[in-house]
Amino acid sequence: MKSEPVFKNAIVRPPTPNFADGLTTAGLGAPDFARALEQHGRYAGALAHHGVAVVTAAPDAAFPDATFVEDVAVMTPGGAVLMRPGAKSRAGEVASLRSTIASCVPIAGAIEAPGSVDGGDVCAAGETFFIGLSSRTDEEGARQLGEILARQGFAVRIADVRRADGLLHLKSGMAWLGGRRLLAVDALARDPAFEGYERVTVPDDETYAANAVAIGGRVLLAGGFLKTRRAVEAAGLEVVALDMSEFQKMDGGLSCLSLRF
């Protein structure tokens, strides 16, 4: 099993013109669709530039949040585990993306009612998976996913995202940087689930920057968060900054925009 964040493939899905109709609590105004599309293209381009084979799924205007593909599945060495999103308006996204996922990897399982899990609440960290309990992921869903992961030989740790005010998902507040090192906001880093891990701390006024994507010794980081960037660079990692302004308006971050495997 990998001790560094290395992946060779990613599934992405561009936003649709009704992107602004999606779910959000950010209070930052409506996103500009043209700018969101441009930012999404740069994101996919950054992945490709750093050696990732990018599969682009067809947009689906039936689901304004469908560009946030990470919530639909959790990718494991045994295949994809299909999630059961906690927001009712997003339930159909799993079926909408299933054929694309199945064309890339086997389907290894699925979360079943009454459990719910958003993929944004699941962080793979080498031999360990962190699962966050949140407004979108409940105890039953976490139990089901934990059992599937345990059968594949992974350790599972449960964190309570609900204790950290303002975080929608686990990965709204943390990212795995490799080894036993995490990028995390302070409120989340104090959770007992992260005991034994070194934390690169995200300042309270830059919480959004905690949602990052690491590829080996490189980190895709939301642009404009200079204190977090300096902290990541001080940890010996190269930063690739990307403008994420339009996705931030819709409660989305860098990790949300791809399924990586």
Side-chain angles (χ1 to χ4, degrees), residues 7-12 47 52-56 104 258-261:
F7 51 92
K8 298 180 179 179
N9 307 277
I11 297 171
V12 302
L47 291 175
V52 178
V54 177
V55 175
T56 302
C104 298
S258 61
L259 280 170
R260 301 167 297 283
F261 56 102

Side-chain angles (χ1 to χ4, degrees), residues 80-150:
V81 182
L82 301 180
M83 299 294 96
R84 187 169 180 266
K88 291 182 179 179
S89 65
R90 302 194 63 189
E93 292 179 31
V94 178
S96 175
L97 196 63
R98 180 175 181 139
S99 62
T100 300
I101 295 172
S103 71
C104 298
V105 297
I107 303 299
I111 304 302
E112 299 179 353
S116 64
V117 183
D118 276 13
D121 279 318
V122 184
C123 181
E127 297 182 359
T128 299
F129 272 79
F130 295 103
I131 302 174
L133 300 177
S134 72
S135 62
R136 302 285 179 85
T137 295
D138 60 22
E139 286 83 353
E140 171 59 18
R143 183 194 66 77
Q144 290 183 34
L145 179 57
E147 290 182 353
I148 293 170
L149 294 171

Side-chain angles (χ1 to χ4, degrees), residues 1-256:
M1 297 183 183
K2 303 296 184 183
S3 60
E4 296 295 331
V6 177
F7 51 92
K8 298 180 179 179
N9 307 277
I11 297 171
V12 302
R13 186 176 227 174
T16 52
N18 61 342
F19 180 43
D21 294 336
L23 301 171
T24 182
T25 61
L28 298 175
D32 179 279
F33 170 65
R35 190 173 183 187
L37 202 59
E38 179 183 355
Q39 290 176 356
H40 190 274
R42 290 180 179 176
Y43 173 83
L47 291 175
H49 178 74
H50 294 295
V52 178
V54 177
V55 175
T56 302
D60 189 342
F63 304 103
D65 290 302
T67 190
F68 300 127
V69 292
E70 182 179 56
D71 290 320
V72 170
V74 168
M75 311 301 270
T76 78
V81 182
L82 301 180
M83 299 294 96
R84 187 169 180 266
K88 291 182 179 179
S89 65
R90 302 194 63 189
E93 292 179 31
V94 178
S96 175
L97 196 63
R98 180 175 181 139
S99 62
T100 300
I101 295 172
S103 71
C104 298
V105 297
I107 303 299
I111 304 302
E112 299 179 353
S116 64
V117 183
D118 276 13
D121 279 318
V122 184
C123 181
E127 297 182 359
T128 299
F129 272 79
F130 295 103
I131 302 174
L133 300 177
S134 72
S135 62
R136 302 285 179 85
T137 295
D138 60 22
E139 286 83 353
E140 171 59 18
R143 183 194 66 77
Q144 290 183 34
L145 179 57
E147 290 182 353
I148 293 170
L149 294 171
R151 287 197 294 270
Q152 293 190 23
F154 290 99
V156 175
R157 295 193 185 191
I158 305 295
D160 196 338
V161 182
R162 298 167 297 190
R163 296 174 183 168
D165 290 341
L167 296 184
L168 176 63
H169 288 131
L170 177 69
K171 282 187 285 193
S172 301
M174 59 89 68
W176 181 50
L177 298 179
R180 298 188 70 81
R181 187 163 53 175
L182 305 173
L183 178 68
V185 298
D186 187 58
L188 189 58
R190 293 195 300 267
D191 192 286
F194 303 115
E195 183 178 351
Y197 281 77
E198 173 190 351
R199 273 90 77 182
V200 176
T201 302
V202 176
D204 289 343
D205 60 345
E206 293 193 357
T207 297
Y208 181 73
N211 184 276
V213 174
I215 312 175
R218 185 178 297 110
V219 179
L220 305 186
L221 196 71
F225 298 92
L226 299 182
K227 288 181 282 188
T228 304
R229 176 171 186 153
R230 286 194 291 267
V232 172
E233 290 175 338
L237 299 166
E238 177 189 346
V239 169
V240 178
L242 294 171
D243 185 1
M244 291 291 292
S245 62
E246 305 315 295
F247 296 97
Q248 184 178 6
K249 294 173 182 177
M250 300 304 293
D251 289 339
L254 284 157
S255 77
C256 309

